[in-house]
Amino acid sequence: MEKVKWILTWPLILLLFFTIPNCSKPRWEKFFMVTFVFSTLWIALFSYFMVWMVTVIGYTLGIPDVIMGITFLAAGTSVPDCMASLIVARQGLGDMAVSNTIGSNVFDILVGLGVPWGLQTMAVHYGSYVKINSKGLVYSVVLLLGSVALTVGGIHLNKWKLDRKLGVYVLTLYVIFLCFSILIEFNVFTFVNFPMCRED
């Protein structure tokens, strides 16, 4: 299995090896900003291809864009945050783990939406606007705020301890959030528009 993994990943590893300086080695320590910039650029490129593939798969299978966004795309982009929280939690830094999850979501919402929308409306097409097609977004925001409140409440009731019981609790909240979001987008509770990819 390890050999198969190596065969599948060696082209990518080779590419990253020659384009990103390894700051763990003394000779490259002073190039940490170069490492950061190139890592960010590669993440942006990989994210673009991931979004493209998720969009194509969703269109092929007849799954609305919003559903693909809150499931596969959200999971794919949240893996680095999950790993970072896991690492610091194992180091006993529970506060940092919780702060990372909340802070990363705030960053995604405010900066992740603000920067591309700002570029589109101020630089690419000045004076234009970005139209949000999904009417179910309001319900998703309410579910999101409710999930955050229930998560903080659960942590408080658990005496601010991160344990297995709390892990099961927040995973259950995520499943509930996912189910309700999908049902809303499929017009189970009320009518909402779920846009599909347009054919050009």
Side-chain angles (χ1 to χ4, degrees), residues 78-184:
S78 297
V79 168
D81 294 331
C82 180
M83 296 305 297
S85 296
L86 179 63
I87 291 171
V88 296
R90 286 183 172 179
Q91 294 174 350
L93 303 173
D95 292 344
M96 186 179 292
V98 175
S99 299
N100 173 59
T101 56
I102 296 175
S104 63
N105 282 282
V106 172
F107 183 88
D108 290 341
I109 294 172
L110 300 182
V111 179
L113 293 178
V115 170
W117 288 359
L119 290 175
Q120 173 69 20
T121 57
M122 293 186 293
V124 180
H125 296 290
Y126 184 79
S128 64
Y129 61 90
V130 178
K131 185 177 180 181
I132 301 175
N133 295 318
S134 177
K135 294 180 180 178
L137 186 62
V138 175
Y139 302 98
S140 296
V141 171
V142 172
L143 287 173
L144 174 63
L145 294 176
S147 299
V148 172
L150 290 173
T151 299
V152 175
I155 296 174
H156 175 70
L157 292 175
N158 204 44
K159 299 180 180 179
W160 303 97
K161 295 179 181 178
L162 303 179
D163 54 15
R164 182 178 300 177
K165 181 172 60 176
L166 184 63
V168 173
Y169 171 72
V170 294
L171 285 176
T172 303
L173 285 180
Y174 175 71
V175 172
I176 294 173
F177 166 79
L178 208 57
C179 290
F180 270 96
S181 296
I182 292 173
L183 291 174
I184 288 171

Side-chain angles (χ1 to χ4, degrees), residues 58-85:
Y59 178 74
T60 303
L61 299 178
I63 302 174
D65 293 339
V66 176
I67 302 299
M68 297 299 289
I70 63 175
T71 53
F72 298 101
L73 191 58
T77 56
S78 297
V79 168
D81 294 331
C82 180
M83 296 305 297
S85 296

Side-chain angles (χ1 to χ4, degrees), residues 25 31 126 152 190:
K25 296 182 178 180
F31 294 99
Y126 184 79
V152 175
T190 183

